[in-house]
Amino acid sequence: MFTKIPKLIVFLVTIIFIEIVLFSLFRVGFYFLFQDEASNLHSIQILHSFWLGFRFDLQLIIISLLPVFLLGGIKWIGIFQSVLSKYFWITYLLILEFLIVILYVSNIVYFDFFKNLIDSSALRYIYDIQEASKMLVEGYPVVKTTLFIVFFMI
């Protein structure tokens, strides 16, 4: 039955499933890390927040995989066509996944410090990057976290 489904579609659906599970684990971990801040919320509000997060994650995953879907079936650049194109697409996916995981981890750090989710106001800390980096390294295990993420990606 599944032999007629193209390899690209099976690959993308598998990636979508893995990323949904990963991002859902991030959301559950975020909830348990900051459960005290959510103590005054009703369970229906928490479920609605998880539903919104699930929808956001799904949109993010689909948008990030759109180039693979659109270009992955072209014969000379398809993900399953040559070794070079396979390395290109896997590198693209790893870099993208790394950036998304960094964003999620940054959101946890930002919320821990400011008690607010990361938004465009976080860009103001880029202007004085040395001071922001120093504060970040002194207050959080940046090196260990980065090594863990890189190890997880490999």
Side-chain angles (χ1 to χ4, degrees):
M1 180 173 142
F2 290 112
T3 56
K4 297 189 189 254
I5 299 175
K7 287 193 311 187
L8 179 64
I9 301 298
V10 172
F11 175 74
L12 291 174
V13 168
T14 304
I15 295 292
I16 289 171
F17 177 75
I18 290 169
E19 288 188 354
I20 283 291
V21 169
L22 177 69
F23 295 163
S24 296
L25 287 174
F26 272 126
R27 293 209 181 278
V28 170
F30 186 88
Y31 172 74
F32 283 118
L33 268 174
F34 303 108
Q35 197 170 8
D36 296 337
E37 281 82 2
S39 62
N40 60 346
L41 296 175
H42 296 290
S43 59
I44 196 76
Q45 291 173 312
I46 294 171
L47 287 175
H48 183 68
S49 298
F50 275 102
W51 173 245
L52 286 176
F54 173 79
R55 289 177 45 201
F56 173 79
D57 292 342
L58 190 59
Q59 288 174 354
L60 178 67
I61 293 165
I62 289 173
I63 289 171
S64 67
L65 291 177
L66 196 59
V68 180
F69 177 71
L70 293 176
L71 302 174
I74 298 175
K75 190 163 184 87
W76 53 278
I77 59 171
I79 191 166
F80 299 111
Q81 302 303 327
S82 70
V83 175
L84 183 64
S85 62
K86 184 182 293 188
Y87 282 126
F88 170 76
W89 287 114
I90 296 299
T91 303
Y92 165 78
L93 291 172
L94 284 175
I95 290 171
L96 197 64
E97 190 71 26
F98 180 75
L99 292 174
I100 292 171
V101 169
I102 290 292
L103 181 64
Y104 274 85
V105 171
S106 300
N107 189 33
I108 291 171
V109 171
Y110 190 85
F111 189 85
D112 187 35
F113 192 77
F114 295 108
K115 301 299 182 219
N116 195 9
L117 293 175
I118 199 166
D119 58 2
S120 62
S121 67
L123 295 175
R124 68 177 174 238
Y125 299 108
I126 293 177
Y127 295 121
D128 190 9
I129 194 72
Q130 280 185 322
E131 188 65 32
S133 300
K134 182 180 172 186
M135 183 176 70
L136 185 68
V137 170
E138 288 176 358
Y140 298 99
V142 176
V143 176
K144 289 181 187 176
T145 305
T146 305
L147 289 175
F148 176 75
I149 292 171
V150 169
F151 177 75
F152 180 73
M153 298 299 288
I154 293 174

